[in-house]
Amino acid sequence: MTNTHPSVPGQEWNASGYAQNANFVPKLGSEVVKLLAPQPGERILDLGCGDGALSERLMQLGADVLGIDASEEMVEAARQRGVTARVIDGHQMPFDHEFDAVFSNAALHWMLDPQAVLSGVKRALKPGGRFVAEFGGHGNVAAICTALIAALQFRGISVRGRHPWYFPTPQEYGHILQTVGFKVDSIELIPRPTPLPTGMIGWLETFASPFLHGLDEDIREAVLENTLTLLGHSLRDEQGNWSADYVRLRVSAHA
Ligand code: BEZ
């Protein structure tokens, strides 16, 4: 869920903030777990496991799971649940044809070199092994990104290097999968407007720090306020409930 690449500046992970503001992320993982269809005894790598909520679910279904994440704090949170977890950058996985499946939920959009990641996934899998993942696809959080960019530009702040995410089209991602040797079984974009339990401010505090990295506190506050005003027009309903304009890319492929 949180496998951050070191080249994404300013993103900090806080397990309790994540649990409070983003506990809907693993809850929405049921469909991709169903697509994975883990079998008892299978050895499964959870790539970008975050706090291990879905790794734990895979374990409960009988799989032998290793979770990996680039955030030490998240790996520690996963271990607290009893998940075997290691701090590993998804761009530099050391595994060699040892997993029946590689699974990933809400993490791959943080990994900005998909060719390196998918080469590592392919190498990690036994022949015929499955890769099943869901993450942000083309158009994901488009309104949120546009509002953040507008609020920064309004103050003359350059957005260069601040957009931290990779949201590919199915065509682009399918092509990369094929170039590293996968056969794609299914790949689709799924629009999924998602209610935010702690509002847009909770979401921005948890996920949008790369946009606000290095700003003085008063400027940061002003950019956030401006972003909320812009987004209220499209992502807040008449009762004041916020949602995020999520678009998932769900993919199943085999080695
Ligand atoms: C997502 O799950 O789509 C997402 C999470 C954090 C930042 C951007 C996107």
Side-chain angles (χ1 to χ4, degrees):
M1 267 162 257
T2 63
N3 197 312
T4 53
H5 187 259
S7 69
V8 174
Q11 181 59 34
E12 283 157 19
W13 293 106
N14 169 305
S16 59
Y18 191 87
Q20 195 186 348
N21 295 325
N23 65 0
F24 60 87
V25 174
K27 287 186 188 149
L28 292 171
S30 300
E31 286 303 310
V32 68
V33 169
K34 220 191 277 175
L35 187 62
L36 173 69
Q39 302 300 307
E42 276 193 322
R43 184 143 171 72
I44 296 180
L45 177 68
D46 184 356
L47 167 54
C49 66
D51 66 5
L54 286 183
S55 317
E56 191 181 12
R57 206 182 298 170
L58 301 181
M59 286 163 61
Q60 286 160 353
L61 294 169
D64 173 12
V65 180
L66 172 65
I68 64 167
D69 202 284
S71 158
E72 260 176 57
E73 174 152 1
M74 288 306 203
V75 163
E76 191 42 47
R79 287 178 180 153
Q80 298 288 328
R81 292 178 185 269
V83 173
T84 302
R86 289 168 58 188
V87 179
I88 294 178
D89 179 347
H91 297 83
Q92 293 166 8
M93 288 188 283
F95 309 110
D96 188 18
H97 302 103
E98 51 200 282
F99 291 96
D100 297 294
V102 174
F103 171 80
S104 185
N105 183 56
L108 293 167
H109 46 253
W110 292 100
M111 301 178 212
L112 303 182
D113 183 349
Q115 185 92 30
V117 173
L118 288 176
S119 299
V121 171
K122 175 80 170 34
R123 206 165 43 244
L125 285 169
K126 297 175 186 172
R130 335 199 277 296
F131 171 54
V132 175
E134 189 174 302
F135 62 107
H138 188 69
N140 193 39
V141 292
I144 299 177
C145 291
T146 303
L148 280 162
I149 290 166
L152 287 164
Q153 286 186 338
F154 181 67
R155 285 170 181 77
I157 301 163
S158 167
V159 295
R160 224 167 142 246
R162 291 187 185 273
H163 189 299
W165 304 309
Y166 171 64
F167 298 140
T169 61
Q171 291 73 16
E172 177 186 339
Y173 204 66
H175 178 71
I176 303 173
L177 279 161
Q178 283 166 1
T179 60
V180 303
F182 278 103
K183 310 238 175 359
V184 178
D185 300 306
S186 63
I187 186 162
E188 59 180 332
L189 277 182
I190 303 166
R192 189 165 68 203
T194 300
L196 298 177
T198 56
M200 185 56 69
I201 195 67
W203 193 94
L204 291 170
E205 279 170 1
T206 303
F207 294 122
S209 38
F211 279 97
L212 307 166
H213 183 53
L215 301 183
D216 289 345
E217 195 49 34
D218 55 334
I219 306 279
R220 190 177 189 280
E221 289 302 315
V223 168
L224 280 174
E225 199 182 311
N226 208 188
T227 302
L228 291 174
T229 304
L230 288 167
L231 284 175
H233 298 285
S234 54
L235 298 181
R236 188 178 52 205
D237 70 14
E238 55 288 355
Q239 272 88 45
N241 302 308
W242 285 93
S243 59
D245 50 339
Y246 277 1
V247 178
R248 317 320 286 167
L249 185 71
R250 190 180 293 159
V251 58
S252 174
H254 64 274

